[in-house]
Amino acid sequence: MSLTVTTEQRGDMVVVSVAGELDMATAPQLQDQISDLLEKGRTRLVFDLAEVSFCDSTGLSVFVRAKNSTDDAGGTVRLAAPQRGVLRILEVSGLVEVLHTYPTVDQAVAAEEPALD
């Protein structure tokens, strides 16, 4: 299974639409896309996961690295529209608490920044 990654600018957010299986074989492709966005100063990212049918720990680590990189740059990472199986993995791993997750892309793009403690 291959992975397709497309991006769309929405205001100051970049929506990164991911489709396919996100695993050890395909995660480097997404990581390369994220690195390219960060190099261009794009640090406010929404990952549209509606078409991701599978995500393993390698895929999760890509999101964690993206969050760490964007946090360092004053940006944000949000996940949107994960399918039931992917959402379950996020919940079990505890990452649903760390990676702000929204039911839709529109909600993720429109969300206010979480309050800092």
Side-chain angles (χ1 to χ4, degrees):
M1 180 84 184
S2 65
L3 190 74
T4 304
V5 181
T6 58
T7 60
E8 173 192 357
Q9 190 75 39
R10 286 209 205 171
D12 65 345
M13 304 291 287
V14 177
V15 176
V16 181
S17 298
V18 185
E21 294 184 0
L22 186 53
D23 57 22
M24 188 168 58
T26 59
Q29 179 184 345
L30 179 57
Q31 185 62 56
D32 289 347
Q33 185 74 34
I34 294 167
S35 295
D36 186 52
L37 289 168
L38 294 173
E39 285 174 17
K40 293 177 180 174
R42 305 290 192 253
T43 61
R44 296 176 51 78
L45 308 176
V46 172
F47 291 94
D48 178 357
L49 305 180
E51 298 299 320
V52 174
S53 57
F54 175 80
C55 181
D56 70 5
S57 61
T58 312
L60 294 179
S61 70
V62 170
F63 297 127
V64 171
R65 281 195 301 274
K67 180 186 182 338
N68 292 339
S69 296
T70 59
D71 282 355
D72 290 346
T76 187
V77 164
R78 299 173 184 166
L79 305 182
Q83 292 184 22
R84 172 177 247 120
V86 174
L87 180 59
R88 181 75 180 128
I89 291 166
L90 290 165
E91 291 170 342
V92 168
S93 68
L95 289 176
V96 76
E97 302 301 323
V98 176
L99 300 167
H100 301 287
T101 306
Y102 299 85
T104 69
V105 171
D106 289 341
Q107 287 173 315
V109 169
E112 294 294 323
E113 291 299 315
L116 298 175
D117 295 333

Short mmCIF file of all heavy atoms in Angstrom, two decimals, residues 7-80:
data_model
loop_
_atom_site.label_atom_id
_atom_site.label_comp_id
_atom_site.label_asym_id
_atom_site.label_seq_id
_atom_site.Cartn_x
_atom_site.Cartn_y
_atom_site.Cartn_z
N THR A 7 -0.89 18.90 0.33
CA THR A 7 -1.00 20.02 1.27
C THR A 7 -1.87 21.12 0.66
O THR A 7 -1.96 21.26 -0.56
CB THR A 7 0.38 20.62 1.61
OG1 THR A 7 1.00 21.09 0.43
CG2 THR A 7 1.26 19.59 2.30
N GLU A 8 -2.52 21.86 1.56
CA GLU A 8 -3.38 22.98 1.16
C GLU A 8 -3.24 24.07 2.22
O GLU A 8 -3.39 23.79 3.42
CB GLU A 8 -4.83 22.50 1.08
CG GLU A 8 -5.82 23.61 0.84
CD GLU A 8 -7.27 23.16 1.05
OE1 GLU A 8 -7.52 21.98 1.33
OE2 GLU A 8 -8.15 24.04 0.94
N GLN A 9 -2.96 25.27 1.78
CA GLN A 9 -2.86 26.41 2.70
C GLN A 9 -4.26 26.89 3.03
O GLN A 9 -5.08 27.11 2.14
CB GLN A 9 -2.06 27.53 2.04
CG GLN A 9 -1.69 28.66 2.97
CD GLN A 9 -0.56 28.31 3.93
OE1 GLN A 9 0.38 27.64 3.56
NE2 GLN A 9 -0.67 28.78 5.15
N ARG A 10 -4.57 27.05 4.33
CA ARG A 10 -5.85 27.60 4.77
C ARG A 10 -5.55 28.67 5.82
O ARG A 10 -5.32 28.35 6.98
CB ARG A 10 -6.74 26.53 5.39
CG ARG A 10 -7.35 25.59 4.40
CD ARG A 10 -8.67 25.09 4.95
NE ARG A 10 -9.02 23.80 4.38
CZ ARG A 10 -10.02 23.05 4.80
NH1 ARG A 10 -10.73 23.43 5.85
NH2 ARG A 10 -10.29 21.91 4.22
N GLY A 11 -5.52 29.91 5.38
CA GLY A 11 -5.13 30.98 6.28
C GLY A 11 -3.69 30.77 6.69
O GLY A 11 -2.82 30.55 5.85
N ASP A 12 -3.44 30.77 8.00
CA ASP A 12 -2.07 30.55 8.47
C ASP A 12 -1.80 29.08 8.78
O ASP A 12 -0.72 28.73 9.24
CB ASP A 12 -1.77 31.42 9.70
CG ASP A 12 -2.61 31.05 10.90
OD1 ASP A 12 -3.62 30.33 10.74
OD2 ASP A 12 -2.26 31.47 12.02
N MET A 13 -2.77 28.22 8.50
CA MET A 13 -2.61 26.77 8.72
C MET A 13 -2.31 26.07 7.39
O MET A 13 -2.78 26.51 6.34
CB MET A 13 -3.89 26.17 9.30
CG MET A 13 -4.40 26.78 10.58
SD MET A 13 -3.38 26.48 12.02
CE MET A 13 -3.71 24.77 12.35
N VAL A 14 -1.55 25.00 7.48
CA VAL A 14 -1.36 24.12 6.32
C VAL A 14 -2.05 22.81 6.64
O VAL A 14 -1.75 22.17 7.67
CB VAL A 14 0.13 23.86 6.04
CG1 VAL A 14 0.28 22.88 4.87
CG2 VAL A 14 0.87 25.15 5.73
N VAL A 15 -3.01 22.43 5.80
CA VAL A 15 -3.68 21.14 5.95
C VAL A 15 -2.89 20.11 5.16
O VAL A 15 -2.70 20.25 3.95
CB VAL A 15 -5.15 21.20 5.47
CG1 VAL A 15 -5.79 19.83 5.56
CG2 VAL A 15 -5.93 22.22 6.27
N VAL A 16 -2.40 19.11 5.88
CA VAL A 16 -1.63 18.02 5.28
C VAL A 16 -2.56 16.81 5.22
O VAL A 16 -2.87 16.20 6.24
CB VAL A 16 -0.37 17.70 6.11
CG1 VAL A 16 0.43 16.58 5.45
CG2 VAL A 16 0.49 18.95 6.31
N SER A 17 -3.04 16.51 4.01
CA SER A 17 -3.96 15.38 3.84
C SER A 17 -3.15 14.13 3.56
O SER A 17 -2.33 14.10 2.63
CB SER A 17 -4.93 15.65 2.69
OG SER A 17 -5.72 16.78 3.00
N VAL A 18 -3.39 13.10 4.37
CA VAL A 18 -2.65 11.85 4.28
C VAL A 18 -3.64 10.76 3.93
O VAL A 18 -4.72 10.67 4.52
CB VAL A 18 -1.96 11.54 5.63
CG1 VAL A 18 -1.08 10.31 5.51
CG2 VAL A 18 -1.14 12.74 6.11
N ALA A 19 -3.28 9.91 2.96
CA ALA A 19 -4.16 8.82 2.55
C ALA A 19 -3.34 7.54 2.38
O ALA A 19 -2.24 7.58 1.82
CB ALA A 19 -4.87 9.16 1.25
N GLY A 20 -3.87 6.44 2.90
CA GLY A 20 -3.20 5.15 2.77
C GLY A 20 -2.81 4.61 4.13
O GLY A 20 -3.41 4.93 5.14
N GLU A 21 -1.78 3.76 4.12
CA GLU A 21 -1.28 3.16 5.36
C GLU A 21 -0.02 3.88 5.80
O GLU A 21 0.91 4.03 5.02
CB GLU A 21 -1.00 1.67 5.15
CG GLU A 21 -2.25 0.88 4.87
CD GLU A 21 -2.01 -0.61 4.74
OE1 GLU A 21 -0.85 -1.05 4.87
OE2 GLU A 21 -2.99 -1.35 4.53
N LEU A 22 -0.02 4.30 7.05
CA LEU A 22 1.13 5.01 7.61
C LEU A 22 1.88 4.04 8.51
O LEU A 22 1.45 3.73 9.62
CB LEU A 22 0.64 6.24 8.38
CG LEU A 22 1.69 7.19 8.93
CD1 LEU A 22 2.66 7.65 7.83
CD2 LEU A 22 1.02 8.39 9.57
N ASP A 23 2.99 3.52 7.97
CA ASP A 23 3.76 2.52 8.70
C ASP A 23 5.25 2.72 8.44
O ASP A 23 5.65 3.74 7.89
CB ASP A 23 3.31 1.11 8.31
CG ASP A 23 3.41 0.83 6.80
OD1 ASP A 23 4.18 1.53 6.10
OD2 ASP A 23 2.71 -0.07 6.33
N MET A 24 6.05 1.74 8.84
CA MET A 24 7.50 1.86 8.73
C MET A 24 7.94 2.12 7.28
O MET A 24 8.90 2.85 7.06
CB MET A 24 8.16 0.57 9.26
CG MET A 24 9.66 0.67 9.36
SD MET A 24 10.41 -0.68 10.28
CE MET A 24 9.89 -2.10 9.35
N ALA A 25 7.23 1.58 6.33
CA ALA A 25 7.61 1.74 4.93
C ALA A 25 7.24 3.11 4.37
O ALA A 25 7.93 3.64 3.50
CB ALA A 25 6.97 0.65 4.08
N THR A 26 6.14 3.70 4.87
CA THR A 26 5.65 4.95 4.29
C THR A 26 5.89 6.19 5.15
O THR A 26 5.82 7.30 4.65
CB THR A 26 4.14 4.84 4.00
OG1 THR A 26 3.45 4.56 5.23
CG2 THR A 26 3.85 3.73 2.98
N ALA A 27 6.17 6.00 6.43
CA ALA A 27 6.37 7.14 7.33
C ALA A 27 7.47 8.09 6.86
O ALA A 27 7.30 9.31 7.00
CB ALA A 27 6.64 6.65 8.75
N PRO A 28 8.59 7.60 6.30
CA PRO A 28 9.61 8.55 5.84
C PRO A 28 9.09 9.53 4.78
O PRO A 28 9.54 10.68 4.74
CB PRO A 28 10.70 7.64 5.27
CG PRO A 28 10.55 6.36 6.02
CD PRO A 28 9.06 6.22 6.22
N GLN A 29 8.16 9.11 3.96
CA GLN A 29 7.58 10.00 2.95
C GLN A 29 6.86 11.16 3.63
O GLN A 29 7.03 12.32 3.24
CB GLN A 29 6.61 9.21 2.07
CG GLN A 29 5.92 10.04 1.01
CD GLN A 29 4.90 9.23 0.22
OE1 GLN A 29 4.88 8.00 0.27
NE2 GLN A 29 4.04 9.93 -0.49
N LEU A 30 6.07 10.87 4.66
CA LEU A 30 5.37 11.94 5.39
C LEU A 30 6.37 12.80 6.13
O LEU A 30 6.26 14.03 6.14
CB LEU A 30 4.34 11.34 6.35
CG LEU A 30 3.56 12.35 7.19
CD1 LEU A 30 2.82 13.36 6.31
CD2 LEU A 30 2.59 11.62 8.11
N GLN A 31 7.39 12.17 6.74
CA GLN A 31 8.41 12.94 7.46
C GLN A 31 9.12 13.92 6.53
O GLN A 31 9.38 15.06 6.91
CB GLN A 31 9.42 11.99 8.11
CG GLN A 31 10.44 12.69 8.98
CD GLN A 31 9.80 13.42 10.15
OE1 GLN A 31 9.09 12.83 10.94
NE2 GLN A 31 10.05 14.71 10.26
N ASP A 32 9.42 13.49 5.32
CA ASP A 32 10.07 14.37 4.35
C ASP A 32 9.19 15.58 4.02
O ASP A 32 9.67 16.70 3.91
CB ASP A 32 10.40 13.61 3.06
CG ASP A 32 11.54 12.62 3.24
OD1 ASP A 32 12.25 12.69 4.28
OD2 ASP A 32 11.72 11.77 2.35
N GLN A 33 7.90 15.34 3.86
CA GLN A 33 6.95 16.43 3.56
C GLN A 33 6.90 17.42 4.72
O GLN A 33 6.90 18.63 4.51
CB GLN A 33 5.56 15.85 3.29
CG GLN A 33 4.55 16.87 2.86
CD GLN A 33 4.75 17.34 1.43
OE1 GLN A 33 5.18 16.56 0.59
NE2 GLN A 33 4.47 18.59 1.16
N ILE A 34 6.87 16.90 5.94
CA ILE A 34 6.83 17.76 7.13
C ILE A 34 8.12 18.58 7.22
O ILE A 34 8.08 19.79 7.47
CB ILE A 34 6.62 16.93 8.41
CG1 ILE A 34 5.24 16.27 8.39
CG2 ILE A 34 6.81 17.79 9.66
CD1 ILE A 34 5.06 15.19 9.43
N SER A 35 9.25 17.93 7.01
CA SER A 35 10.54 18.63 7.06
C SER A 35 10.58 19.76 6.05
O SER A 35 11.06 20.86 6.35
CB SER A 35 11.69 17.66 6.80
OG SER A 35 11.76 16.70 7.84
N ASP A 36 10.05 19.51 4.86
CA ASP A 36 10.00 20.53 3.82
C ASP A 36 9.13 21.72 4.26
O ASP A 36 9.51 22.88 4.07
CB ASP A 36 9.47 19.92 2.51
CG ASP A 36 9.53 20.89 1.35
OD1 ASP A 36 10.61 21.47 1.12
OD2 ASP A 36 8.49 21.07 0.68
N LEU A 37 7.98 21.44 4.84
CA LEU A 37 7.10 22.51 5.33
C LEU A 37 7.79 23.33 6.42
O LEU A 37 7.73 24.56 6.41
CB LEU A 37 5.80 21.92 5.86
CG LEU A 37 4.84 21.36 4.81
CD1 LEU A 37 3.74 20.55 5.47
CD2 LEU A 37 4.26 22.49 3.96
N LEU A 38 8.44 22.65 7.35
CA LEU A 38 9.12 23.35 8.44
C LEU A 38 10.25 24.22 7.92
O LEU A 38 10.45 25.34 8.40
CB LEU A 38 9.63 22.35 9.47
CG LEU A 38 8.55 21.58 10.25
CD1 LEU A 38 9.19 20.51 11.12
CD2 LEU A 38 7.69 22.51 11.06
N GLU A 39 10.98 23.72 6.93
CA GLU A 39 12.07 24.51 6.34
C GLU A 39 11.54 25.78 5.69
O GLU A 39 12.23 26.79 5.63
CB GLU A 39 12.83 23.68 5.31
CG GLU A 39 13.73 22.63 5.92
CD GLU A 39 14.37 21.73 4.88
OE1 GLU A 39 14.38 22.07 3.68
OE2 GLU A 39 14.87 20.66 5.28
N LYS A 40 10.30 25.73 5.21
CA LYS A 40 9.67 26.89 4.58
C LYS A 40 8.97 27.79 5.60
O LYS A 40 8.27 28.73 5.23
CB LYS A 40 8.66 26.43 3.53
CG LYS A 40 9.29 25.74 2.35
CD LYS A 40 8.24 25.23 1.38
CE LYS A 40 8.90 24.54 0.20
NZ LYS A 40 7.90 23.92 -0.68
N GLY A 41 9.14 27.47 6.90
CA GLY A 41 8.54 28.29 7.94
C GLY A 41 7.08 28.00 8.22
O GLY A 41 6.41 28.76 8.91
N ARG A 42 6.57 26.91 7.70
CA ARG A 42 5.18 26.52 7.94
C ARG A 42 5.14 25.70 9.23
O ARG A 42 5.53 24.54 9.24
CB ARG A 42 4.61 25.69 6.79
CG ARG A 42 4.72 26.34 5.43
CD ARG A 42 3.77 27.52 5.33
NE ARG A 42 3.65 27.98 3.97
CZ ARG A 42 4.19 29.10 3.51
NH1 ARG A 42 4.92 29.85 4.29
NH2 ARG A 42 4.02 29.47 2.26
N THR A 43 4.68 26.31 10.31
CA THR A 43 4.73 25.65 11.62
C THR A 43 3.36 25.44 12.23
O THR A 43 3.25 25.03 13.38
CB THR A 43 5.60 26.46 12.59
OG1 THR A 43 5.02 27.76 12.75
CG2 THR A 43 7.02 26.57 12.10
N ARG A 44 2.30 25.74 11.48
CA ARG A 44 0.94 25.51 11.97
C ARG A 44 0.29 24.48 11.05
O ARG A 44 -0.15 24.81 9.95
CB ARG A 44 0.16 26.83 12.01
CG ARG A 44 0.79 27.81 13.03
CD ARG A 44 0.13 29.17 13.06
NE ARG A 44 -1.32 29.12 13.21
CZ ARG A 44 -1.95 28.90 14.37
NH1 ARG A 44 -1.28 28.68 15.47
NH2 ARG A 44 -3.27 28.90 14.41
N LEU A 45 0.28 23.23 11.53
CA LEU A 45 -0.10 22.10 10.69
C LEU A 45 -1.34 21.39 11.21
O LEU A 45 -1.46 21.14 12.41
CB LEU A 45 1.05 21.09 10.62
CG LEU A 45 2.43 21.63 10.24
CD1 LEU A 45 3.46 20.51 10.31
CD2 LEU A 45 2.40 22.26 8.85
N VAL A 46 -2.23 21.05 10.28
CA VAL A 46 -3.37 20.19 10.57
C VAL A 46 -3.22 18.95 9.69
O VAL A 46 -3.10 19.07 8.47
CB VAL A 46 -4.72 20.88 10.24
CG1 VAL A 46 -5.87 19.88 10.35
CG2 VAL A 46 -4.95 22.07 11.16
N PHE A 47 -3.19 17.79 10.32
CA PHE A 47 -3.10 16.54 9.56
C PHE A 47 -4.49 15.97 9.39
O PHE A 47 -5.16 15.62 10.36
CB PHE A 47 -2.20 15.53 10.28
CG PHE A 47 -0.76 15.92 10.29
CD1 PHE A 47 -0.22 16.62 11.35
CD2 PHE A 47 0.04 15.63 9.19
CE1 PHE A 47 1.11 17.00 11.35
CE2 PHE A 47 1.38 16.01 9.18
CZ PHE A 47 1.91 16.70 10.26
N ASP A 48 -4.95 15.90 8.13
CA ASP A 48 -6.24 15.31 7.79
C ASP A 48 -6.02 13.81 7.65
O ASP A 48 -5.38 13.35 6.70
CB ASP A 48 -6.76 15.92 6.49
CG ASP A 48 -8.08 15.32 6.04
OD1 ASP A 48 -8.59 14.39 6.70
OD2 ASP A 48 -8.60 15.78 5.00
N LEU A 49 -6.55 13.05 8.61
CA LEU A 49 -6.33 11.61 8.65
C LEU A 49 -7.54 10.80 8.18
O LEU A 49 -7.58 9.58 8.36
CB LEU A 49 -5.97 11.19 10.09
CG LEU A 49 -4.78 11.92 10.71
CD1 LEU A 49 -4.52 11.41 12.12
CD2 LEU A 49 -3.54 11.78 9.85
N ALA A 50 -8.50 11.45 7.55
CA ALA A 50 -9.74 10.78 7.14
C ALA A 50 -9.49 9.58 6.22
O ALA A 50 -10.26 8.62 6.24
CB ALA A 50 -10.68 11.77 6.47
N GLU A 51 -8.42 9.64 5.45
CA GLU A 51 -8.14 8.56 4.49
C GLU A 51 -6.99 7.65 4.93
O GLU A 51 -6.48 6.88 4.13
CB GLU A 51 -7.85 9.17 3.12
CG GLU A 51 -9.00 9.96 2.52
CD GLU A 51 -10.24 9.11 2.30
OE1 GLU A 51 -10.11 7.95 1.86
OE2 GLU A 51 -11.35 9.61 2.57
N VAL A 52 -6.58 7.77 6.18
CA VAL A 52 -5.53 6.88 6.71
C VAL A 52 -6.21 5.64 7.25
O VAL A 52 -6.98 5.69 8.20
CB VAL A 52 -4.70 7.57 7.82
CG1 VAL A 52 -3.71 6.59 8.44
CG2 VAL A 52 -3.97 8.77 7.24
N SER A 53 -5.93 4.50 6.60
CA SER A 53 -6.59 3.25 6.99
C SER A 53 -5.84 2.50 8.08
O SER A 53 -6.41 1.65 8.76
CB SER A 53 -6.75 2.35 5.76
OG SER A 53 -5.48 2.11 5.17
N PHE A 54 -4.56 2.82 8.27
CA PHE A 54 -3.74 2.13 9.27
C PHE A 54 -2.61 3.05 9.70
O PHE A 54 -2.04 3.77 8.88
CB PHE A 54 -3.15 0.83 8.68
CG PHE A 54 -2.21 0.13 9.60
CD1 PHE A 54 -2.67 -0.67 10.63
CD2 PHE A 54 -0.83 0.27 9.44
CE1 PHE A 54 -1.79 -1.32 11.48
CE2 PHE A 54 0.05 -0.37 10.29
CZ PHE A 54 -0.43 -1.17 11.31
N CYS A 55 -2.27 3.01 10.99
CA CYS A 55 -1.14 3.79 11.50
C CYS A 55 -0.47 2.98 12.59
O CYS A 55 -1.12 2.58 13.56
CB CYS A 55 -1.62 5.13 12.03
SG CYS A 55 -0.30 6.19 12.65
N ASP A 56 0.83 2.72 12.44
CA ASP A 56 1.56 2.01 13.48
C ASP A 56 2.40 2.99 14.30
O ASP A 56 2.29 4.21 14.14
CB ASP A 56 2.41 0.88 12.88
CG ASP A 56 3.60 1.36 12.06
OD1 ASP A 56 3.87 2.59 12.01
OD2 ASP A 56 4.28 0.50 11.47
N SER A 57 3.24 2.46 15.17
CA SER A 57 4.03 3.31 16.06
C SER A 57 4.99 4.21 15.29
O SER A 57 5.28 5.32 15.73
CB SER A 57 4.79 2.46 17.07
OG SER A 57 5.68 1.58 16.41
N THR A 58 5.45 3.76 14.14
CA THR A 58 6.33 4.60 13.32
C THR A 58 5.58 5.83 12.84
O THR A 58 6.11 6.94 12.84
CB THR A 58 6.88 3.82 12.11
OG1 THR A 58 7.38 2.56 12.54
CG2 THR A 58 7.97 4.57 11.42
N GLY A 59 4.34 5.64 12.43
CA GLY A 59 3.50 6.76 12.01
C GLY A 59 3.23 7.71 13.16
O GLY A 59 3.30 8.94 12.99
N LEU A 60 2.93 7.15 14.33
CA LEU A 60 2.70 8.00 15.50
C LEU A 60 3.92 8.84 15.83
O LEU A 60 3.81 10.01 16.18
CB LEU A 60 2.31 7.15 16.71
CG LEU A 60 0.99 6.41 16.64
CD1 LEU A 60 0.78 5.59 17.91
CD2 LEU A 60 -0.18 7.35 16.40
N SER A 61 5.10 8.24 15.69
CA SER A 61 6.33 8.98 16.00
C SER A 61 6.53 10.16 15.05
O SER A 61 7.11 11.18 15.46
CB SER A 61 7.54 8.05 16.00
OG SER A 61 7.86 7.63 14.69
N VAL A 62 6.06 10.06 13.83
CA VAL A 62 6.15 11.19 12.89
C VAL A 62 5.34 12.37 13.43
O VAL A 62 5.80 13.51 13.40
CB VAL A 62 5.66 10.78 11.48
CG1 VAL A 62 5.53 12.00 10.58
CG2 VAL A 62 6.60 9.76 10.87
N PHE A 63 4.15 12.09 13.95
CA PHE A 63 3.32 13.17 14.50
C PHE A 63 3.95 13.77 15.75
O PHE A 63 3.90 14.99 15.95
CB PHE A 63 1.91 12.67 14.80
CG PHE A 63 1.16 12.21 13.58
CD1 PHE A 63 0.58 10.95 13.54
CD2 PHE A 63 1.05 13.02 12.46
CE1 PHE A 63 -0.11 10.52 12.41
CE2 PHE A 63 0.37 12.59 11.33
CZ PHE A 63 -0.21 11.34 11.31
N VAL A 64 4.55 12.94 16.59
CA VAL A 64 5.19 13.44 17.80
C VAL A 64 6.39 14.33 17.44
O VAL A 64 6.57 15.41 18.00
CB VAL A 64 5.62 12.28 18.73
CG1 VAL A 64 6.48 12.78 19.88
CG2 VAL A 64 4.39 11.55 19.26
N ARG A 65 7.20 13.88 16.47
CA ARG A 65 8.34 14.70 16.02
C ARG A 65 7.85 16.02 15.43
O ARG A 65 8.44 17.08 15.68
CB ARG A 65 9.19 13.94 15.01
CG ARG A 65 10.12 12.95 15.66
CD ARG A 65 11.22 12.46 14.72
NE ARG A 65 10.72 11.82 13.52
CZ ARG A 65 10.41 10.53 13.43
NH1 ARG A 65 10.51 9.74 14.47
NH2 ARG A 65 9.98 10.04 12.30
N ALA A 66 6.77 15.97 14.67
CA ALA A 66 6.21 17.19 14.08
C ALA A 66 5.76 18.14 15.18
O ALA A 66 6.02 19.34 15.12
CB ALA A 66 5.05 16.85 13.15
N LYS A 67 5.10 17.60 16.21
CA LYS A 67 4.65 18.44 17.32
C LYS A 67 5.85 19.07 18.03
O LYS A 67 5.84 20.27 18.31
CB LYS A 67 3.82 17.64 18.31
CG LYS A 67 3.34 18.50 19.48
CD LYS A 67 2.65 17.70 20.53
CE LYS A 67 2.11 18.51 21.68
NZ LYS A 67 2.67 19.80 21.95
N ASN A 68 6.87 18.28 18.30
CA ASN A 68 8.05 18.82 18.98
C ASN A 68 8.71 19.93 18.16
O ASN A 68 9.09 20.97 18.70
CB ASN A 68 9.05 17.71 19.28
CG ASN A 68 8.54 16.75 20.34
OD1 ASN A 68 7.65 17.06 21.11
ND2 ASN A 68 9.10 15.55 20.36
N SER A 69 8.81 19.72 16.86
CA SER A 69 9.44 20.72 15.99
C SER A 69 8.61 22.00 15.90
O SER A 69 9.15 23.10 15.95
CB SER A 69 9.65 20.16 14.58
OG SER A 69 10.56 19.08 14.61
N THR A 70 7.29 21.84 15.76
CA THR A 70 6.45 23.03 15.66
C THR A 70 6.36 23.76 17.00
O THR A 70 6.33 24.98 17.03
CB THR A 70 5.04 22.70 15.13
OG1 THR A 70 4.41 21.77 16.01
CG2 THR A 70 5.09 22.15 13.72
N ASP A 71 6.34 23.02 18.10
CA ASP A 71 6.34 23.65 19.43
C ASP A 71 7.58 24.52 19.59
O ASP A 71 7.49 25.65 20.06
CB ASP A 71 6.32 22.61 20.54
CG ASP A 71 4.94 21.99 20.77
OD1 ASP A 71 3.96 22.43 20.13
OD2 ASP A 71 4.86 21.05 21.59
N ASP A 72 8.73 24.00 19.18
CA ASP A 72 9.99 24.75 19.29
C ASP A 72 9.95 26.04 18.47
O ASP A 72 10.60 27.02 18.82
CB ASP A 72 11.18 23.89 18.83
CG ASP A 72 11.49 22.75 19.80
OD1 ASP A 72 10.99 22.78 20.94
OD2 ASP A 72 12.24 21.84 19.40
N ALA A 73 9.17 26.02 17.39
CA ALA A 73 9.08 27.18 16.50
C ALA A 73 7.88 28.06 16.80
O ALA A 73 7.57 28.98 16.05
CB ALA A 73 9.04 26.70 15.05
N GLY A 74 7.15 27.76 17.89
CA GLY A 74 5.98 28.56 18.23
C GLY A 74 4.74 28.20 17.44
O GLY A 74 3.79 28.98 17.38
N GLY A 75 4.74 27.04 16.82
CA GLY A 75 3.61 26.61 16.00
C GLY A 75 2.72 25.61 16.71
O GLY A 75 2.71 25.52 17.94
N THR A 76 2.00 24.82 15.92
CA THR A 76 1.07 23.85 16.47
C THR A 76 0.87 22.69 15.51
O THR A 76 1.04 22.84 14.30
CB THR A 76 -0.29 24.52 16.79
OG1 THR A 76 -1.12 23.59 17.47
CG2 THR A 76 -1.00 24.98 15.54
N VAL A 77 0.49 21.56 16.06
CA VAL A 77 0.09 20.39 15.27
C VAL A 77 -1.29 19.97 15.77
O VAL A 77 -1.53 19.90 16.97
CB VAL A 77 1.07 19.21 15.42
CG1 VAL A 77 0.45 17.90 14.93
CG2 VAL A 77 2.35 19.48 14.66
N ARG A 78 -2.19 19.74 14.83
CA ARG A 78 -3.53 19.24 15.14
C ARG A 78 -3.82 18.06 14.23
O ARG A 78 -3.42 18.07 13.07
CB ARG A 78 -4.57 20.32 14.93
CG ARG A 78 -4.34 21.53 15.83
CD ARG A 78 -5.26 22.66 15.48
NE ARG A 78 -4.94 23.83 16.30
CZ ARG A 78 -5.38 25.03 16.06
NH1 ARG A 78 -6.19 25.25 15.04
NH2 ARG A 78 -5.05 26.03 16.84
N LEU A 79 -4.54 17.09 14.76
CA LEU A 79 -4.99 15.95 13.96
C LEU A 79 -6.48 16.09 13.73
O LEU A 79 -7.20 16.55 14.62
CB LEU A 79 -4.69 14.64 14.69
CG LEU A 79 -3.25 14.39 15.12
CD1 LEU A 79 -3.12 13.02 15.77
CD2 LEU A 79 -2.28 14.53 13.95
N ALA A 80 -6.92 15.68 12.54
CA ALA A 80 -8.34 15.82 12.22
C ALA A 80 -8.87 14.56 11.55
O ALA A 80 -8.18 13.93 10.75
CB ALA A 80 -8.54 17.01 11.28
#
